[in-house]
Amino acid sequence: MTDFMLARDTALWILVAFGVVWVAWGWYLGRNNRTIEDYALAGRNVGFAMATATAMATWITSNTTLVAPQLTYQFGVWGMLGYSMAALGLILFAPLAQRIRTLLPDGFTSGDFIYRRYGRFAWALFIVISLCYAFGWLVSLGMAGGLLLSSLSDLSYLTGMTAILVICVGYTLLGGLKAVIATDFVQSIVIITGVVIVAWVCIDTVGFETMHTTLTEQQPALLDLLFPAAIMFFFNNVFFGIGEIFHSNVWWSRAFAFAPGIGKRSYLAAGLLWLPIPIVTGFIALAATSLNLIPPSADMVGPMVAAKLLGSIGAVFIFVIVFSALASSMDSLLAATSDLLTQDIVKKLLRPDATSDTLLKVNRYIVIGLGVGTWCIAAFKLATLGALLNFTGAFVASTIWPIVYGLYQPKLTGKWAGIAMFAGTVSGLVGYFTIGFYVAAIISCGVSLACCRIGIWQSKDMFHWHKLEEKG
Amino acid sequence: MFSLLRWHTMSRPATLLMTTCLTSLVVIALATTAFAVTAAENERSSRDGTVEVLWESGYAQYDTLLIASARGETVAQYPVIEGQNWVITGMEDGRYQFILESQSSSKFLFTLGVTHYSLSAAFSLFVAGLVMFLYLLFTLIKGERSD
């Protein structure tokens, strides 16, 4: 145990306090949920402030608090800047959110759109991709909880991972999307305040000059603007971020939940507010060597540096920030993935005649099932967070063009949208295994674009947008 | 399953494209695994300047992990913390020796050869990404205007 670690009892007390407060609040917010629309879409009437906060807080996650420092530690300045470009996903989704709300006023999930626009073949592939991504992200969040606890206290990885899953499943189950959005609002304030203080202390304690000197001597590539792997990574991360947001039901369910006219403004504001956050969280990783810290796993560098800088009180502080970041994403993902499974698998395939009450019950069982499933996979801790997340990049980036053309280009057919997703994903995985995790998304997106263009060029069909308003 | 996906309605070139993609993925995954198994233990390589040194029980008797250049100059040194791996990043092109040291003894771990990807390959991918990003922007703006 190092000098900056939390005592076992302190860590357990924080976990219990977090658990009780969030779960009780979730119960309070969800006590009036009567229908599946109340539970899954917060009554389709979320206002601008809540909408912006939930979009931003959901995007501040283990990615931002653990993976941004990891990528800065591996790719230096380019890693930090490249990571912040994930904000483009939120910014570019702004116009899409408005169009989605207009074209599908009664829509529930991203799967609804793909089914109505492209038919079963593309929908089946899309659901597989969505679920692979959702599980990858959920597992990475569970892993992040475990890593956080094991790096900041002498509690085990399994304890941390179990704690975050139990807490998030608890309040999502009781409160639905209302609880998710309200907790996100508070969590976003905690996170932003926290990361600004940590960065300030880092600059004040270590200083730019010391950091620059140490990096020049020991890790010169991190300051090199011509660092090849980092240059490869830059646009890969841009397309990974765009793919994550464009396809994921986390963002679509919000587009359906926000009041009319709110989606475009709130996604744009959330993206602009999110942009500098990875720069702040990533920057502190550059101080690791100056502090004589060497992480046992690249994704632990952020919490280690922060805890070292702030001492034992700082460890509590970091614990709260990162736990908030993890919870704000995990709850959203649990809610959105359970909606996707309820609407797209249960309602479309298994029980088309299910009532709102039945779907509400099923949705809650699915939230519990997702929690259990995530625990089983995260327990194995198969990869680092960065590697695991970027593995899913091959899947999600293949959906960018089918989504964009699906909303704006009537000539793309379901067959070619499906081929684009399939060929893009496979090519991205080939790149992941043969070159590295930093090229998977860009290759996937490029191949998917080529397939879509061939499809549009060959097509003689024209899709009529009013068909999207028909029930699937 | 095939009827669910309406596989039989796929054209022959489309089916061929999908089969080729899947086969190439399996072949590459197998080849990558085979290569990893045959790699020499005391000779390692990196294309991005990152290396992970895994903890082994015998390392506890040493104090420092020393990284030396091919000419024997010390590049960096890190403390040994029992049970913890080391992840070292940001290394430039070159050959490095990884050595564990204590006051009374030392142990050679392995030699690391760092050869970064070529800049031309990296910039090709960067430019391809930039072009695709600009095209995405163009498509969204055009779609938004005609909406």
Side-chain angles (χ1 to χ4, degrees):
Chain A
M1 183 170 162
T2 53
D3 55 353
F4 54 80
M5 279 184 164
L6 287 178
R8 184 185 164 83
D9 287 351
T10 314
L12 279 174
W13 272 112
I14 296 172
L15 281 178
V16 171
F18 247 106
V20 170
V21 170
W22 291 138
V23 173
W25 201 22
W27 166 81
Y28 177 77
L29 292 163
R31 71 196 186 287
N32 293 324
N33 283 341
R34 296 283 177 268
T35 65
I36 187 74
E37 290 226 355
D38 290 340
Y39 184 78
L41 296 177
R44 297 185 191 265
N45 199 28
V46 179
F48 178 72
M50 284 286 187
T52 306
T54 190
M56 191 180 66
T58 303
W59 207 216
I60 302 172
T61 167
S62 60
N63 304 12
T64 332
T65 50
L66 298 177
V67 181
Q70 173 188 344
L71 294 172
T72 308
Y73 186 68
Q74 286 183 279
F75 296 138
V77 178
W78 275 114
M80 192 165 64
L81 294 176
Y83 201 89
S84 72
M85 290 298 116
L88 291 170
L90 285 173
I91 293 167
L92 297 185
F93 193 68
L96 299 193
Q98 181 169 292
R99 185 150 173 86
I100 287 164
R101 194 75 164 84
T102 311
L103 289 177
L104 288 97
D106 65 329
F108 257 94
T109 66
S110 49
D112 270 348
F113 166 72
I114 296 291
Y115 189 86
R116 295 181 204 183
R117 172 68 179 82
Y118 290 130
R120 276 203 165 185
F121 169 61
W123 170 81
L125 281 168
F126 181 80
I127 291 295
V128 171
I129 288 171
S130 283
L131 292 179
C132 283
Y133 166 76
F135 271 114
W137 195 10
L138 267 175
V139 170
S140 82
L141 290 167
M143 280 172 57
L147 285 168
L148 168 73
L149 260 187
S150 58
S151 63
L152 293 181
S153 74
D154 58 350
L155 288 176
S156 68
Y157 166 80
L158 271 182
T159 310
M161 195 263 288
T162 309
I164 187 145
L165 274 170
V166 169
I167 293 168
C168 290
V169 167
Y171 73 80
T172 307
L173 190 66
L174 293 169
L177 193 63
K178 276 182 197 161
V180 169
I181 289 174
T183 50
D184 280 0
F185 188 78
V186 176
Q187 286 156 356
S188 63
I189 294 168
V190 172
I191 296 161
I192 291 172
T193 311
V195 296
V196 168
I197 292 173
V198 174
W200 180 270
V201 173
C202 182
I203 294 166
D204 199 44
T205 311
V206 183
F208 286 115
E209 202 173 323
T210 311
M211 283 166 70
H212 186 265
T213 308
T214 315
L215 287 170
T216 307
E217 287 168 3
Q218 297 188 24
Q219 295 170 292
L222 299 188
L223 297 176
D224 186 359
L225 292 179
L226 298 177
F227 185 169
I231 292 169
M232 288 170 153
F233 163 80
F234 188 85
F235 272 105
N236 186 72
N237 198 62
V238 170
F239 286 107
F240 180 31
I242 294 172
E244 279 184 282
I245 291 184
F246 277 25
H247 96 284
S248 173
N249 195 47
V250 169
W251 311 100
W252 282 71
S253 65
R254 279 162 173 70
F256 293 126
F258 296 166
I262 295 293
K264 188 174 182 179
R265 284 188 296 137
S266 60
Y267 274 111
L268 189 61
L272 293 173
L273 288 169
W274 187 90
L275 187 77
I277 292 173
I279 296 176
V280 179
T281 55
F283 162 77
I284 64 167
L286 295 176
T289 316
S290 302
L291 294 165
N292 205 25
L293 285 175
I294 183 87
S297 173
D299 40 19
M300 285 167 71
V301 67
M304 282 179 76
V305 171
K308 176 84 173 176
L309 284 168
L310 297 169
S312 53
I313 294 173
V316 176
F317 192 63
I318 298 307
F319 193 94
V320 172
I321 296 169
V322 183
F323 219 88
S324 299
L326 294 174
S328 68
S329 303
M330 185 175 274
D331 57 10
S332 304
L333 197 55
L334 281 168
T337 310
S338 61
D339 293 348
L340 192 70
L341 287 168
T342 306
Q343 296 294 332
D344 283 86
I345 304 294
V346 177
K347 196 177 174 197
K348 275 197 182 68
L349 289 183
L350 307 174
R351 300 275 303 276
D353 55 342
T355 62
S356 174
D357 281 353
T358 311
L359 292 174
L360 189 58
K361 265 187 205 164
V362 169
N363 201 316
R364 287 181 163 147
Y365 285 127
I366 290 174
V367 171
I368 297 171
L370 284 171
V372 174
T374 304
W375 190 94
C376 292
I377 301 170
F380 291 105
K381 199 185 170 192
L382 296 173
T384 66
L385 290 174
L388 179 69
L389 278 169
N390 282 285
F391 178 77
T392 62
F395 292 82
V396 300
S398 73
T399 64
I400 295 173
W401 292 105
I403 295 275
V404 171
Y405 285 137
L407 286 164
Y408 293 114
Q409 168 56 267
K411 286 185 78 180
L412 184 64
T413 60
K415 183 181 84 177
W416 279 100
I419 290 171
M421 287 189 267
F422 183 83
T425 300
V426 172
S427 314
L429 290 175
V430 169
Y432 180 92
F433 287 118
T434 54
I435 302 171
F437 72 82
Y438 30 82
V439 298
I442 197 168
I443 291 175
S444 169
C445 187
V447 171
S448 171
L449 170 61
C451 293
C452 286
R453 289 308 317 174
I454 294 170
I456 291 166
W457 173 63
Q458 278 205 339
S459 172
K460 293 181 177 64
D461 299 337
M462 288 291 267
F463 183 81
H464 298 289
W465 300 114
H466 63 80
K467 283 186 182 173
L468 289 172
E469 290 179 35
E470 294 166 8
K471 296 274 184 186
Chain B
M1 182 66 180
F2 275 9
S3 64
L4 173 74
L5 302 180
R6 295 181 185 168
W7 190 266
H8 57 279
T9 64
M10 300 278 289
S11 63
R12 195 177 162 79
T15 313
L16 194 67
L17 176 66
M18 292 175 78
T19 313
T20 311
C21 287
L22 209 58
T23 312
S24 64
L25 180 65
V26 173
V27 170
I28 283 165
L30 289 173
T32 311
T33 313
F35 179 77
V37 169
T38 54
E41 277 183 17
N42 57 358
E43 187 77 25
R44 293 170 66 174
S45 63
S46 169
R47 301 301 311 265
D48 55 11
T50 295
V51 66
E52 184 175 15
V53 185
L54 297 175
W55 175 260
E56 286 182 22
S57 55
Y59 295 174
Q61 58 179 298
Y62 301 99
D63 310 319
T64 309
L65 172 69
L66 184 84
I67 303 171
S69 68
R71 286 181 294 177
E73 293 163 348
T74 300
V75 176
Q77 46 188 345
Y78 301 103
V80 173
I81 299 172
E82 190 163 356
Q84 283 198 8
N85 306 333
W86 296 265
V87 177
I88 295 134
T89 62
M91 302 176 83
E92 286 189 318
D93 281 352
R95 289 181 70 75
Y96 303 91
Q97 295 184 327
F98 283 67
I99 302 158
L100 283 169
E101 282 192 342
S102 68
Q103 285 185 340
S104 55
S105 61
S106 68
K107 177 185 171 72
F108 171 79
L109 293 180
F110 58 87
T111 301
L112 175 74
V114 178
T115 314
H116 283 277
Y117 290 106
S118 74
L119 264 178
S120 53
F123 273 116
S124 304
L125 206 63
F126 185 89
V127 170
L130 179 65
V131 169
M132 195 155 57
F133 178 72
L134 293 175
Y135 179 62
L136 177 63
L137 276 185
F138 167 76
T139 309
L140 289 175
I141 292 168
K142 194 176 149 203
E144 192 54 359
R145 283 192 179 160
S146 62
D147 190 9

